[in-house]
């Protein structure tokens, strides 16, 4: 029996919101009952915090600056912390909603099982003025809930982070890369000193997947838009428990390097290109062969000119 993992996906900033909107649209095409234990939230760059799944504005986070300027990162960080209670309340409601007794019974009645843990994924570029400023505050909001009203809950926080070279407008932007480096340094710092955002001293995040436009062999793998279908598949695999349950997978991601616990990974991606035109052409020839074969024309013969020139579509 598949044990489904309740999943909350939070998109931060302009691009995080776009990615989560696409994921939500794809998830809706899945089985309706399964979709009930997936929640999609987004903080837009105008400060609106949305329940994407319900298409509902939750509240307005005032004071956020979306302009790509170095001064805005610290300003946005302070604005987000000021609204900690608002964000915490809505996150708590969503987590509690995924653990409703009625929902558990509904799944059991259909022979389905729900995992005890909840996976939260924060999706954001590393450079976005709103998105990258919100990563650590959101990790802190979750840790506060675990130390307070959701104490005892099994909640795993994960990051899905994107480098600027995945975005055409920022491919050669030095400030975007500098901010990405700074953002990674900040995340690394709270990983070393979790007590900065957690009174319990728990790891601030379980895993972080970091995406860039080139692989280790310096080969282009595409833009963030071309990766959205793959990201969606990635989340479905986590949802079904195909990723993270494997002990060997955990051992690869969490290990000691020079006495430091690492929680980062790149991601192996592949894209299957289906040659539609060539396949249709081949199938058309095969259909033609079957028609000739049905007429007993399986050996090499000199065919009637009109028969040879017949349109297979009309046949």
């Amino acid at each position: 029996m598949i044990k489904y993992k309740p999943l909350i996906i939070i998109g931060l900033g302009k691009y995080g919101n776009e990615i989560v909107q696409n994921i939500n649209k794809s998830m809706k095409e899945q089985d309706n009952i399964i979709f009930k234990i997936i929640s999609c939230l987004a903080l837009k760059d105008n400060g609106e915090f949305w329940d994407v799944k319900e298409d509902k504005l939750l509240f307005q986070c005032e004071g956020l600056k979306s302009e790509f300027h170095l001064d805005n990162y610290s300003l946005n960080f302070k604005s987000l912390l000021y609204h900690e209670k608002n964000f915490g309340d809505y996150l708590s409601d969503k987590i509690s909603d995924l653990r409703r007794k009625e929902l558990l019974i509904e799944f059991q009645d259909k022979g389905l099982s729900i995992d005890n843990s909840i996976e939260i994924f924060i999706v954001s570029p590393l450079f976005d003025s709103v998105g990258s400023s919100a990563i650590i505050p959101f990790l802190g909001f979750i840790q506060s809930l675990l130390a307070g009203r959701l104490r005892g809950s099994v909640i795993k926080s994960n990051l899905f982070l994107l480098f600027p070279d995945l975005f055409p407008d920022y491919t050669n932007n030095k400030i975007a890369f500098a901010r990405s480096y700074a953002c990674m340094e900040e995340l690394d710092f709270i990983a070393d000193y979790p007590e900065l955002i957690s009174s319990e001293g728990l790891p601030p995040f379980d895993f972080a997947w970091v995406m860039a436009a080139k692989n280790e062999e310096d080969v282009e793998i595409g833009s963030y838009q071309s990766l959205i279908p793959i990201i969606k598949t990635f989340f479905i695999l986590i949802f079904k428990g195909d990723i993270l349950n494997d002990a060997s997978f955990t051992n690869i991601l969490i290990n000691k390097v020079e006495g430091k616990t690492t929680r980062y990974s790149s991601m192996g991606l592949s894209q299957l290109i289906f040659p539609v035109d060539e396949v249709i052409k081949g199938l058309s020839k095969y259909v033609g062969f079957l028609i000739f074969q049905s007429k007993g024309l399986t050996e090499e013969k000199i065919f009637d000119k009109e028969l040879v020139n017949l349109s297979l579509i009309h046949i």
Side-chain angles (χ1 to χ4, degrees):
M1 177 187 295
I2 296 177
K3 182 171 281 191
Y4 293 95
K5 285 180 176 288
L7 193 63
I8 299 177
I9 306 171
I10 306 172
L12 301 179
K14 175 182 177 181
Y15 297 107
N17 170 59
E18 181 182 343
I19 292 170
V20 169
Q21 292 282 356
N22 276 276
I23 291 171
N24 180 71
K25 183 178 178 181
S26 298
M27 292 289 190
K28 281 186 176 180
E29 299 170 0
Q30 308 294 318
D31 190 306
N32 287 335
I33 186 174
I34 302 301
F35 192 57
K36 289 183 178 181
I37 57 171
I38 299 175
S39 183
C40 294
L41 305 172
L43 174 65
K44 296 185 177 182
D45 58 357
N46 62 1
E48 293 179 349
F49 190 49
W50 279 80
D51 184 328
V52 177
K53 181 179 173 181
E54 302 296 334
D55 193 25
K56 177 183 177 182
L57 175 63
L58 299 177
F59 86 99
Q60 176 74 44
C61 179
E62 302 290 348
L64 294 183
K65 307 291 184 181
S66 61
E67 294 80 10
F68 190 64
H69 191 279
L70 290 176
D71 292 339
N72 288 340
Y73 295 107
S74 58
L75 292 173
N76 288 342
F77 188 86
K78 293 176 182 177
S79 296
L80 288 157
L81 293 182
Y82 181 77
H83 291 281
E84 178 178 0
K85 185 179 185 306
N86 301 93
F87 285 114
D89 287 345
Y90 285 112
L91 285 173
S92 177
D93 289 344
K94 284 300 167 187
I95 292 169
S96 299
D97 189 56
L98 293 177
R99 303 301 303 166
R100 284 183 294 116
K101 185 177 179 180
E102 298 83 0
L103 191 58
L104 295 173
I105 294 173
E106 183 179 357
F107 267 68
Q108 289 172 0
D109 289 344
K110 294 185 178 295
L112 302 173
S113 178
I114 302 178
D115 195 88
N116 291 327
S117 65
I118 293 178
E119 297 280 350
I120 298 180
F121 266 87
I122 295 173
V123 182
S124 176
L126 285 160
F127 61 91
D128 179 82
S129 295
V130 172
S132 69
S133 301
I135 297 172
I136 290 179
F138 266 82
L139 290 172
F141 302 155
I142 296 167
Q143 291 298 323
S144 294
L145 292 175
L146 288 173
R149 69 187 92 170
L150 295 180
R151 179 182 291 273
S153 299
V154 182
I155 299 173
K156 298 179 180 179
S157 301
N158 305 279
L159 304 175
F160 205 95
L161 308 171
L162 306 168
F163 265 98
D165 55 352
L166 283 164
F167 304 85
D169 292 341
Y170 297 94
T171 301
N172 298 311
N173 191 309
K174 293 182 178 180
I175 295 178
F177 277 91
R179 170 55 193 161
S180 298
Y181 177 79
C183 188
M184 288 296 296
E185 284 284 315
E186 292 164 3
L187 290 169
D188 202 49
F189 192 75
I190 63 166
D192 283 345
Y193 302 98
E195 62 274 10
L196 291 173
I197 64 170
S198 170
S199 60
E200 305 291 312
L202 298 172
F205 55 90
D206 286 88
F207 301 129
W209 281 267
V210 185
M211 303 295 299
K214 294 182 179 181
N215 63 17
E216 60 184 5
E217 296 176 353
D218 206 36
V219 176
E220 293 279 352
I221 61 173
S223 69
Y224 78 100
Q225 291 173 320
S226 66
L227 295 180
I228 288 177
I230 302 173
I231 295 172
K232 179 202 73 173
T233 302
F234 171 78
F235 283 126
I236 290 176
L237 291 173
I238 289 177
F239 176 60
K240 291 182 177 180
D242 294 336
I243 296 180
L244 299 182
N245 279 346
D246 186 349
S248 63
F249 184 84
T250 304
N251 290 337
I252 290 172
L253 281 185
I254 299 182
N255 54 79
K256 295 284 186 178
V257 178
E258 296 180 356
K260 177 183 175 60
T261 301
T262 62
R263 297 178 180 272
Y264 306 98
S265 176
S266 58
M267 201 175 161
L269 301 175
S270 62
Q271 185 175 23
L272 288 177
I273 300 174
F274 197 70
V276 177
D277 293 337
E278 288 80 357
V279 171
I280 291 178
K281 184 178 179 181
L283 288 174
S284 298
K285 290 181 178 179
Y286 182 64
V287 171
F289 167 75
L290 293 178
I291 293 173
F292 290 140
Q293 188 181 51
S294 68
K295 300 297 183 181
L297 302 176
T298 55
E299 298 179 5
E300 291 187 9
K301 297 180 182 292
I302 299 176
F303 298 125
D304 179 88
K305 184 177 180 181
E306 291 184 3
L307 179 62
V308 173
N309 290 332
L310 270 177
S311 169
L312 288 175
I313 296 176
H314 292 131
I315 291 176

